[in-house]
Amino acid sequence: LDEKYLVVFGDSEASVQVTQYFSMTCPHCLSLFKKDFKAIKEKYLDTKKASWIFHPVPLDSLTVQVMDCLSKLTTRQK
């Protein structure tokens, strides 16, 4: 996918690189967003130990709508 659809956190030069493929209708993805990601961000991404890319998978209309919104945001806004 084009970078305009991706959301990137952390240091792109970090030794650990994670790509999270997600759908807005996936209960596991939503659980990660709501429950776990804040702690992961604080412990690994904010400290530049890792980078994390959220990569949408356009299999449902909600995710396609999110992708449309992401394409209009700046990197900072995401």
Side-chain angles (χ1 to χ4, degrees):
L1 282 179
D2 191 295
E3 287 187 22
K4 67 184 179 183
Y5 301 115
L6 307 178
V7 180
V8 180
F9 290 92
D11 182 0
S12 62
E13 300 295 319
S15 61
V16 176
Q17 305 279 321
V18 177
T19 300
Q20 171 72 41
Y21 294 90
F22 75 91
S23 167
M24 295 305 292
T25 58
C26 171
H28 303 289
C29 294
L30 295 177
S31 177
L32 173 75
F33 295 151
K34 291 179 180 180
K35 296 179 183 177
D36 302 318
F37 189 71
K38 182 179 179 182
I40 292 168
K41 183 177 178 300
E42 290 172 355
K43 187 170 182 178
Y44 299 104
L45 307 178
D46 292 345
T47 60
K48 300 185 179 201
K49 294 177 182 173
S51 74
W52 194 290
I53 299 172
F54 283 104
H55 186 295
V57 179
L59 297 176
D60 58 86
S61 62
L62 184 56
T63 303
V64 171
Q65 290 172 359
V66 166
M67 289 173 66
D68 183 52
C69 292
L70 288 171
S71 73
K72 294 175 174 125
L73 299 174
T74 66
T75 300
R76 181 174 164 87
Q77 290 171 320
K78 292 177 190 179

